Amino acid sequence: MKSIEITSKLPYSAPFLFVDEITSVSENTIEGNYLFNKSQDFYRGHFKDNPVTPGVILAECMAQIGVVSLGIYLLSKQTEASGTPRIAMTSSNVEFIKPVYPGEKVFVKSEKKYFRFNKLKCVVIMTDTEENIICRGEISGMILKAES
């Protein structure tokens, strides 16, 4: 499965899609990136005169690339899956280390801890263009095949 096929199966669209590109994927890892555009609406109120990307949005970006995209890839290896899979985040434990400002590009790397009974758990790290760690943690989700 190619990276464009993975992103086309993501169950998100703008303004809640936080994946620009999947740059590599395998049975155990995935990497991708996203540019936080200065015009994104949440910057208007978070925070006045000093906009910063909300932590929940950073965690969502990590989940979309590091868990959901990898889950779509793993499901495609099990069967000839068609349609958009059903997804639910089950847990996250993310440590936030540095802020992300409007206009910054982030890079997400995820390593599978396990994928069994349709539950995927990954160690996910987000870095900036200079490879400084922005946030890291473990994120889990249920990844189910699309209903026919």
Side-chain angles (χ1 to χ4, degrees), residues 39-60:
S39 66
Q40 288 176 291
D41 195 50
F42 51 79
Y43 287 127
R44 293 186 317 134
H46 194 264
F47 294 96
K48 288 183 182 178
D49 304 319
N50 187 26
V52 63
T53 308
V56 69
I57 300 294
L58 297 177
E60 181 65 26

Side-chain angles (χ1 to χ4, degrees), residues 49-93:
D49 304 319
N50 187 26
V52 63
T53 308
V56 69
I57 300 294
L58 297 177
E60 181 65 26
C61 178
M62 292 169 72
Q64 287 186 15
I65 294 171
V67 178
V68 178
S69 295
L70 182 56
I72 289 169
Y73 176 79
L74 293 173
L75 278 181
S76 76
K77 293 294 182 189
Q78 289 181 349
T79 62
E80 289 299 317
S82 62
T84 302
R86 295 177 293 145
I87 296 157
M89 185 160 50
T90 57
S91 67
S92 66
N93 181 12

